[in-house]
Amino acid sequence: MTIKDCKIIELPRFLDARGNLSFAEQNNHILFEIKRTYWIYDVPGGEARGGHAFKENQEFIVALSGAFDIVVDDGQQKKTFSLNRSYYGLFVPAGLWREMNNFSTNSVALEFGSKHYDREDYIRDYNTFLNLKSDGKI
Ligand code: TYD
């Protein structure tokens, strides 16, 4: 997988004077079957989250409120995706290093995962990530 496999996906929007509505369906806007949902909130200014890669877990990330950046790295190249609308999501395949930063005040990151939580699926050391990547193991 490379950063070219990351995709911004525009979600449906129902604009309404009563307030807007968007949704996401598995195996449709979200390109996998959802096994887990979690959210990150109350991030203090200047903090970063998610400095790691997954061996198998795929993700779909939405800035439900506010804005933040997701820096994706395939070992050769890095790309920053800025999310600041609740009707866009970023698909991040497995095997990419990613970090989230530049969280605005009161931002909420909603994340969908293709796997249940499994700490063995995490690669938390960047050099280990680079070695696995150059060996073609992830
Ligand atoms: P972690 O994935 O390290 O956060 P991030 O990479 O976004 O900075 O998760 C932080 C803690 O939360 C860690 O101790 C494990 C726990 N956790 C779960 O128990 N289940 C989950 O689904 C997630 C995402 C985290």
Side-chain angles (χ1 to χ4, degrees), residues 3-136:
I3 53 170
K4 293 202 178 75
D5 297 302
C6 291
K7 273 194 202 99
I8 291 277
I9 292 176
E10 186 168 356
L11 299 170
R13 263 192 292 169
F14 287 87
L15 304 181
D16 192 308
R18 299 169 301 159
N20 303 332
L21 182 149
S22 287
F23 64 90
E25 294 176 345
Q26 69 178 3
N27 296 325
N28 185 1
H29 320 95
I30 299 179
L31 306 170
F32 51 80
E33 194 171 315
I34 301 160
K35 289 276 170 54
R36 183 163 55 112
T37 306
Y38 60 97
W39 44 99
I40 293 172
Y41 52 97
D42 289 348
V43 178
E47 287 293 342
R49 302 278 324 202
H52 56 68
F54 291 113
K55 293 176 199 157
E56 290 183 5
N57 186 52
Q58 306 169 66
E59 292 183 286
F60 185 74
I61 306 173
V62 179
L64 213 52
S65 178
F68 50 83
D69 291 341
I70 306 167
V71 185
V72 185
D73 176 348
D74 59 17
Q76 306 273 332
Q77 281 182 292
K78 287 184 194 198
K79 186 166 178 183
T80 300
F81 294 91
S82 296
L83 291 183
N84 57 11
R85 293 282 184 267
S86 52
Y87 50 87
Y88 284 111
L90 178 66
F91 169 67
V92 184
L96 298 178
W97 190 268
R98 96 288 187 286
E99 182 181 285
M100 297 161 71
N101 57 30
N102 279 334
F103 286 89
S104 69
T105 305
N106 290 331
S107 55
V108 179
L110 178 63
E111 309 204 19
F112 300 89
S114 66
K115 279 177 67 80
H116 291 138
Y117 178 70
D118 173 9
R119 55 199 300 257
E120 298 302 315
D121 193 48
Y122 280 71
I123 303 161
R124 291 195 179 272
D125 178 71
Y126 188 66
N127 285 324
T128 305
F129 165 74
L130 290 179
N131 289 335
L132 288 169
K133 207 73 187 155
S134 61
D135 292 348

